[in-house]
Amino acid sequence: MNSTPFRARRDALIARMQVAGGGVAMIPTAPERVRNRDAHYPYRADSYFHYLTGFDEPEAALLLIAGKETQSILFCREKNLEREIWDGFRFGPDAARETFGFDAAFPFGELEAKLAELIADQPALWFSMGHEPEWDSRITAALNVVRGQTRAGKRAPAAVRDVRVELDAMRLVKDDDELHIMRRAGVISAAAHVRAMRFTSPGKFEHEVEAELLHEFRRQGCQSPAYTSIVAGGANACVLHYVANNQLLKDGDLLLIDAGGELDGYASDITRTFPVNGRFSGAQADVYNLVLAAQDAAIAAVRPGASFVAPHDAALKVLAQGMLDLKLLTGSLDAVMETESYKRFYMHRTGHWLGRDVHDAGEYKQGEQWQALAPGMVLTIEPGCYIRPADDVPEAFWNIGVRIEDDAVVTATGCEIITSGVPNTITGIEALMAEARQ
Ligand code: GLY
Ligand code: MN
Ligand code: MN
């Protein structure tokens, strides 16, 4: 365990709080959640908490004091040999303090009593009110304990501030340690897509292909998929959040896969669309090459100083013109853009921030302006085109749904695509699938 990046992030948050008047921040981790009776969902730490600690156990909270003096305190479960026989290792406060580099650590059970003590006489309490009702109650209770001590000379914080404002700004720009993990998540996830492409053929089920993805994620060390995989054959590709993944894959159909692994808390997010039988038909190739050209245009628009929406605007221009060329739409390009008639076939945005959360933390606007891209920001580039059957649409295009999605790190001069380990050209895809069939 290298605690250096986590300590650096805690220090950076403390410094931001000091600039904003100081106070004490409380950042709890996520609760364990029951799936049914006594079985739980796989545990995942809260993204903010883990960003600042690297600590994976439930029942934990981080407390940061940002005054003239600063302190970083962990509350966590105590050692418990009986529970450790059943559930596995627990650090306990002493080893956690040592290993993760906190100034102090206390048993989680002492939190309630200590919280009132630690927030008293602080100018502000920094917290994410509304995120977890149970923590809202704990915080309210602690504030009321201090308010009840006014005659003893204690003062409750005058302000409760949203710590996410500072944390979101920090998380928007990834540090080197984060980028290192995200590149690796991209490599593993691309390998999973290659494996799925090689495996796919007519007569297989969508869930069989999903199993290949999950196999590769776990085999290479991802703890889980970063979100529920979309494995959508034929018309299912036109359902944007299709996750049933239970249909037979048919000769002549396309398969759209949107899947990425989560590695050490960081998501990858890749979409590929390819023919179930290994060869694109003419109409499929037309739509595919249009979406690919839109992605190329969007990627070319990613550079420091460019607006967050520049890649979307670039992709949209290519897609709208292509929809006219393919006779999916009629009229002039200006009219298509003005009336947004392209939304019938392209109804989502071209990307989002990516990081610990697949739709990651970070503002998209600064005031009235879209966020300007800066080195270290990570975003997806994911144009698509989804064509449902309709009388005014040429039949050859019916039920074709294509999306191509890659993950881009903004660099000093442009961007680095960290998911290029899986082919995205027709030639590359057909060659890979042909080779797999030999
Ligand atoms: N997989 C979710 C997305 O692409 O936004
Ligand atoms: Mn995405
Ligand atoms: Mn995706």
Side-chain angles (χ1 to χ4, degrees), residues 2 10 30 61 66 106 143 151 168 177 179-180 214 229 237 247 288 344 353 413 415 427 433:
N2 173 16
R10 294 197 288 269
F106 300 105
L143 285 167
R151 272 173 293 146
D168 287 356
D177 294 277
L179 291 177
H180 179 76
L214 299 178
S229 306
Q247 296 298 303
Y288 190 88
R344 183 173 165 198
W353 305 131
T413 53
C415 73
T427 320
M433 293 184 76

Side-chain angles (χ1 to χ4, degrees), residues 24 114-123 146 149 154-157:
V24 51
K114 283 230 163 32
L115 193 53
E117 209 175 288
L118 289 163
I119 65 175
D121 299 326
Q122 290 286 345
V146 186
Q149 295 170 340
K154 301 264 190 217
R155 247 195 315 263

Side-chain angles (χ1 to χ4, degrees), residues 197-217:
M197 262 183 208
R198 297 177 67 92
F199 173 83
T200 297
S201 63
K204 300 249 169 65
F205 276 89
E206 291 166 344
H207 62 81
E208 292 180 86
V209 180
E210 182 183 11
E212 296 297 313
L213 296 160
L214 299 178
H215 177 102
E216 198 63 19
F217 293 157

